[in-house]
Amino acid sequence: MKTKLILITAAMLLAISGTRAQSDLSTGLDKFDEVMRIVTETYPDTINQERLIDNAIKMLFRQLDPHTTYKTSAEAEEEQRQQSYEKIGIGAACRYFDDTLTIISVSPKSPARKAGLRVGMQVDSINNQPVTHRILTNEEILGIINSRKDTLTISVIRGKGTKRYIIPTSKTPRSTIDALYSPNDSTTYIRISTFTKFTGDEFDKALSSCGRKRLRNVIMDLRDNPGGTLNPCVQICNHIIPENCTIFTTYAADDESKAEFADKTGLLKNSRIYILVNENSASASEVVASSVQDNDRGVVIGRRSYGKALTQQIIWLKDGSKLSITNGRIYSPSGRCIQKPYIRGNFDSYYNETSTRKYRKEHLVRDSISTAGKPMYKTVMKHRTVYGEMGVIPDIFVPEDSTNIPKQVHDSLYAFNVENFAYEYVNTHRARLSTKYGSFNRFYNNFKISDLMVEAFRRYLKDNAYKLQNVMEEFNTPTNKDYRLKVEIKACIALVLYGNNEYRQILNDYDSDYKAAMSLIADPQSYWKHFE
């Protein structure tokens, strides 16, 4: 049975590689079958044949490229759960404060909002299972939630009793627009976290909600965007790229090409475009950035992008395992392919390449970016020089702002400690904060992080049980000490009180890439000089 599985799986893999492999197919399969039979009959310990086969397939793919991968059925199922384009729920999120499960956010127009759930409510039980006065893991809570498919019964604490809500669940797309706001009357900032089949429609709706005046300048933040599906790239670039101009071209393994061209529709044909990228901007986000750059339709700002231009085809096997097979390359309008080099069979240098950039100080000094030996191309309209095989080099280089950010800030951010502190602080002071500040504008202009709050945060890092009742923002006159940490704390408190847009707006005020874009917006002549 296992040998048969080996033959079927190997046959599928070899068949993908094309006709040249067909002549060696029988010999290769016979050898693989013989080796597995010998190992099974000879090896003295118990052998998990399924695991051996899975690992053999993974090693086979390591001889191809870094983005051709194999996932076992369990791995594929977990990946699909984590990366699902849609989520089923009621549109509310909770977290524990001490041993009390508390609602921390409720999405607008969600079933939870319509039913009457509000931020700050304390949950007593879910589907008749008590969840307060005991701390459950996320997996345990998800198990309770998933015990019913169509409805969720939630009891919240009301005085000495409880009130029960029976709320229908619904399937909603995960938003890929992380933030959308207008810093002034002629500018819109939009941050895209990833590219899914819903991103194009989300982008259309986002632009439509802004009004034409606010679309004179559009800052598109693609930093830390790992990419995704290509279809939204066409939808987004249709707004920007002139009619009949190339957006990108894909070349398949058989040299068959398919070009995508912009149509006449779009809200940004006459807008000034500013694309923010960094070393974690990859794949589809690089397609958008390179298309805008190559068509001379906008300015790319930040640091060199990741460098992925291979396309993959997803193939599901009968047992639920998944193959992601590279089936082509993407070329930008200038004719370049931005895919960075890799060595077959040894992908460590490829995966670590963005880290090695820091050893060369590339994140700090533009001249550290070496284009020696890289193919040179010219942009379509203005014939500016661009390079292939190394991601997208920005038109305006902005060094990474690593000053004034002590190591403990980085560590605490990655561990979500700043956000946890913000949740605890808001939960402790919610009524007072709502009364004193109310709107985001009042909070934005008047809320100041005191040195006392910074000290409280550091004590909280050492002891998450540290109580914040007596910690208030106005007790000390703020100083410039620890300013970056203060920004992070204020932004996270805004996130808890108001949402992602407000969180990003506070961070952007201190963001070097964003400020570079805003400087160009304030001086349009400088913008146009980049196309000379």
Side-chain angles (χ1 to χ4, degrees):
M1 181 67 181
K2 292 295 183 183
T3 302
K4 183 178 180 181
L5 177 60
I6 295 168
L7 293 172
I8 294 173
T9 305
M12 290 186 68
L13 293 173
L14 290 172
I16 292 168
S17 65
T19 55
R20 286 179 296 178
Q22 298 304 313
S23 60
D24 298 327
L25 177 61
S26 179
T27 302
L29 292 178
D30 287 344
K31 180 186 288 188
F32 194 77
D33 185 31
E34 183 180 9
V35 169
M36 287 301 299
R37 180 178 54 78
I38 292 171
V39 169
T40 302
E41 294 175 354
T42 307
Y43 199 75
D45 298 330
T46 302
I47 294 175
N48 185 326
Q49 285 198 5
E50 186 174 2
R51 184 179 300 171
L52 276 180
I53 295 167
D54 289 335
N55 288 335
I57 297 172
K58 290 178 179 180
M59 289 303 297
L60 168 67
F61 279 7
R62 284 189 64 84
Q63 304 305 312
L64 301 178
D65 68 81
H67 301 289
T68 293
T69 60
Y70 167 77
K71 301 285 186 182
T72 66
S73 56
E75 291 168 342
E77 183 179 0
E78 177 61 18
E79 181 183 64
Q80 195 168 27
R81 185 186 69 80
Q82 292 184 359
Q83 300 179 358
S84 175
Y85 297 150
E86 297 176 305
K87 55 184 177 181
I88 298 175
I90 61 172
C94 301
R95 61 161 288 158
Y96 276 103
F97 295 100
D98 294 328
D99 61 354
T100 303
L101 192 66
T102 305
I103 297 175
I104 58 172
S105 69
V106 180
S107 302
K109 300 181 181 180
S110 65
R113 173 76 68 177
K114 294 175 182 177
L117 292 187
R118 296 293 182 265
V119 171
M121 287 183 170
Q122 297 177 330
V123 180
D124 180 69
S125 67
I126 301 175
N127 289 341
N128 301 319
Q129 296 291 320
V131 293
T132 284
H133 305 309
R134 53 189 296 220
I135 298 179
L136 304 178
T137 65
N138 288 338
E139 289 73 18
E140 289 172 328
I141 292 176
L142 284 174
I144 295 173
I145 291 173
N146 294 331
S147 63
R148 296 183 186 176
K149 290 186 177 180
D150 300 324
T151 62
L152 205 61
T153 301
I154 294 181
S155 292
V156 300
I157 298 172
R158 282 286 182 87
K160 295 183 178 180
T162 61
K163 180 176 180 179
R164 190 170 72 158
Y165 296 84
I166 300 176
I167 307 171
T169 57
S170 65
K171 183 183 290 186
T172 57
R174 293 181 184 270
S175 177
T176 59
I177 305 294
D178 264 6
L180 173 71
Y181 70 90
S182 295
N184 58 47
D185 290 340
S186 66
T187 304
T188 290
Y189 168 88
I190 183 167
R191 181 179 177 90
I192 305 175
S193 62
T194 187
F195 286 83
T196 73
K197 64 182 181 181
F198 302 110
T199 303
D201 291 340
E202 286 185 71
F203 190 81
D204 292 346
K205 291 177 183 177
L207 296 185
S208 298
S209 70
C210 294
R212 287 190 176 274
K213 183 179 178 182
R214 295 181 186 274
L215 297 179
R216 291 176 184 171
N217 300 282
V218 174
I219 303 172
M220 194 183 309
D221 193 345
L222 301 179
R223 292 174 298 177
D224 301 316
N225 182 322
T229 184
L230 284 177
N231 289 339
C233 299
V234 178
Q235 211 166 335
I236 290 171
C237 287
N238 266 333
H239 284 285
I240 302 170
I241 306 302
E243 182 182 2
N244 295 326
C245 289
T246 304
I247 297 174
F248 65 86
T249 304
T250 54
Y251 282 85
D254 58 2
D255 289 332
E256 181 182 351
S257 66
K258 180 184 178 183
E260 297 286 351
F261 298 95
D263 60 28
K264 64 181 179 180
T265 64
L267 298 176
L268 307 178
K269 299 291 189 183
N270 298 313
S271 302
R272 292 189 288 269
I273 307 299
Y274 313 80
I275 307 288
L276 308 186
V277 298
N278 64 9
E279 59 278 359
N280 298 318
S281 305
S283 185
S285 59
E286 294 177 288
V287 170
V288 173
S290 61
S291 183
V292 170
Q293 187 178 61
D294 283 13
N295 281 299
D296 297 293
R297 270 297 292 121
V299 175
V300 179
I301 300 171
R303 290 166 299 286
R304 181 161 67 97
S305 67
Y306 185 85
K308 178 185 181 294
L310 300 177
T311 62
Q312 283 74 45
Q313 177 183 1
I314 304 300
I315 300 174
W316 291 91
L317 302 186
K318 291 181 180 180
D319 67 342
S321 51
K322 185 178 81 169
L323 308 180
S324 181
I325 306 289
T326 292
N327 64 347
R329 292 176 180 265
I330 304 169
Y331 289 78
S332 65
S334 66
R336 61 175 167 158
C337 179
I338 62 166
Q339 176 64 47
K340 63 185 180 182
Y342 55 86
I343 301 172
R344 289 184 175 181
N346 181 9
F347 300 146
D348 289 344
S349 60
Y350 180 87
Y351 296 137
N352 296 326
E353 189 270 337
T354 54
S355 297
T356 61
R357 296 180 193 181
K358 295 200 172 185
Y359 292 114
R360 299 193 300 269
K361 306 296 183 183
E362 187 178 312
H363 63 307
L364 298 176
V365 183
R366 184 189 181 97
D367 289 344
S368 297
I369 303 174
S370 174
T371 57
K374 298 299 182 183
M376 186 185 303
Y377 300 85
K378 296 294 181 179
T379 61
V380 175
M381 303 298 292
K382 301 296 183 178
H383 308 294
R384 297 179 297 147
T385 299
V386 291
Y387 295 91
E389 299 180 4
M390 59 184 307
V392 178
I393 299 176
D395 302 303
I396 298 177
F397 174 82
V398 180
E400 183 178 84
D401 183 12
S402 59
T403 60
N404 298 316
I405 308 178
K407 185 176 185 298
Q408 63 266 28
V409 176
H410 282 298
D411 292 344
S412 63
L413 284 175
Y414 287 122
F416 299 104
N417 281 326
V418 173
E419 190 172 321
N420 286 341
F421 175 82
Y423 276 119
E424 293 281 0
Y425 184 81
V426 171
N427 190 59
T428 303
H429 298 280
R430 187 180 297 278
R432 183 182 62 80
L433 293 171
S434 298
T435 301
K436 182 174 182 178
Y437 298 104
S439 70
F440 172 68
N441 283 339
R442 287 181 62 187
F443 175 89
Y444 178 83
N445 292 319
N446 299 309
F447 185 94
K448 308 295 182 184
I449 300 294
S450 66
D451 294 338
L452 178 63
M453 285 188 69
V454 174
E455 179 59 31
F457 170 71
R458 292 196 168 111
R459 293 183 66 178
Y460 177 81
L461 283 182
K462 296 177 181 178
D463 179 10
N464 289 161
Y466 177 68
K467 302 300 181 183
L468 305 178
Q469 284 90 340
N470 297 323
V471 179
M472 297 189 192
E473 64 279 5
E474 68 272 19
F475 269 26
N476 270 359
T477 301
T479 67
N480 288 328
K481 183 182 178 182
D482 299 314
Y483 89 94
R484 184 58 189 247
L485 178 55
K486 290 175 179 177
V487 172
E488 297 289 351
I489 294 174
K490 180 175 179 177
C492 284
I493 291 174
L495 172 69
V496 178
L497 284 173
Y498 303 103
N500 279 325
N501 290 342
E502 292 76 11
Y503 165 78
R504 187 56 56 180
Q505 187 168 344
I506 290 174
L507 287 185
N508 280 345
D509 283 347
Y510 300 87
D511 187 291
S512 299
D513 301 336
Y514 176 84
K515 288 194 290 187
M518 292 300 291
S519 294
L520 286 184
I521 291 170
D523 184 10
Q525 288 186 344
S526 295
Y527 173 86
W528 294 116
K529 283 182 180 178
H530 287 282
F531 301 102
E532 294 177 354

